[in-house]
Amino acid sequence: MSSAIFAAKKLLRKELKKKLCNMSDSQKAKESSTIAAKVLGSEQYNTAHNICVYVSMPEEVCTEHIITNILETKKSLFVPYFNKEEMVMVKIRDMDDYISLPVDTYGVRQPTDYREREHAMSTCGLDLILCPGLGFTENGLRIGRGKGYYDNYLTKYEKVWGKQPCTIALAYSVQMLDHVPTTELDRMLDHVFSV
């Protein structure tokens, strides 16, 4: 990555984190509710069976209602597990399993028994991935936190399955951008749902 793009991404991440910190809890809740309704009413969601959803942190669009709906409608729920080396999507069996997910040292709820769980990549594949990030353009460009987890996962998934699952970013209004600096390693998402 060129030093100019690296610097531009670093600055943009800092600006976006500040905007997210300045959002009130009520604004986050209102926008999260609107975005969740868009997801649940979408053709992409309603035709999907195997769905991966990030477990939201306080500064991200809340995914609790979407996760509950997936489990209630008997779709298959997968959530990301990540460590310093990689990210994998692991199956969550039911609501009790989801509620019991421990919080790691970064404040992220994820399974500690990920090796024993079903992995989407090696078993059933995914129909839909709901992606977090810091900023997005309407046409699907994304800037994440800089670790490359989703970009790397989607690249690996395409090599294994010969296609990419449908990808949808969930974005607060303050996360919508006109431009995102990118490199050839950055993956474009299919859709961005915002308010």
Side-chain angles (χ1 to χ4, degrees):
M1 177 184 328
S2 82
S3 59
I5 292 177
F6 178 81
K9 284 186 170 192
K10 186 176 180 179
L11 180 62
L12 183 57
R13 285 186 184 102
K14 186 176 179 179
E15 291 169 2
L16 288 164
K17 287 176 182 177
K18 187 175 181 177
K19 285 182 180 183
L20 288 166
C21 283
N22 289 334
M23 283 184 75
S24 68
D25 289 344
S26 62
Q27 184 182 6
K28 287 179 186 176
K30 183 178 178 183
E31 290 194 20
S32 288
S33 179
T34 299
I35 294 164
K38 283 185 179 183
V39 170
L40 298 180
S42 71
E43 179 182 352
Q44 296 88 349
Y45 177 82
N46 287 299
T47 57
H49 180 71
N50 298 327
I51 303 172
C52 180
V53 183
Y54 65 93
V55 179
S56 52
M57 296 190 298
E59 70 277 5
E60 295 173 328
V61 172
C62 181
T63 56
E64 294 285 327
H65 187 64
I66 297 166
I67 287 170
T68 300
N69 185 270
I70 290 170
L71 294 170
E72 286 176 351
T73 57
K74 306 299 183 202
K75 294 176 183 277
S76 291
L77 172 64
F78 292 82
V79 300
Y81 167 83
F82 58 92
N83 55 34
K84 291 179 182 175
E85 289 82 41
E86 67 174 342
M87 178 176 73
V88 294
M89 308 306 189
V90 296
K91 188 163 188 175
I92 301 298
R93 294 177 293 277
D94 54 33
M95 188 55 77
D96 289 337
D97 188 24
Y98 170 70
I99 290 169
S100 69
L101 291 177
V103 177
D104 70 11
T105 55
Y106 301 103
V108 179
R109 290 176 57 198
Q110 61 178 356
T112 54
D113 61 345
Y114 70 97
R115 287 187 180 91
E116 290 80 42
R117 290 177 181 265
E118 182 180 329
H119 290 219
M121 180 101 57
S122 59
T123 56
C124 59
L126 291 166
D127 303 311
L128 175 63
I129 299 177
L130 300 182
C131 302
L134 290 175
F136 310 91
T137 64
E138 283 185 17
N139 66 344
L141 294 177
R142 169 185 177 273
I143 184 166
R145 297 182 180 277
K147 302 294 185 191
Y149 287 125
Y150 279 86
D151 295 321
N152 292 335
Y153 186 85
L154 291 171
T155 298
K156 185 176 177 183
Y157 186 97
E158 194 166 12
K159 287 178 183 172
V160 170
W161 287 88
K163 63 178 182 171
Q164 182 174 303
C166 179
T167 52
I168 299 175
L170 308 183
Y172 289 127
S173 56
V174 299
Q175 294 179 281
M176 295 304 298
L177 305 167
D178 293 328
H179 174 73
V180 169
T182 59
T183 71
E184 68 280 352
L185 299 176
D186 294 312
R187 299 295 299 247
M188 196 167 208
L189 304 179
D190 296 314
H191 307 280
V192 178
F193 286 7
S194 190
V195 292

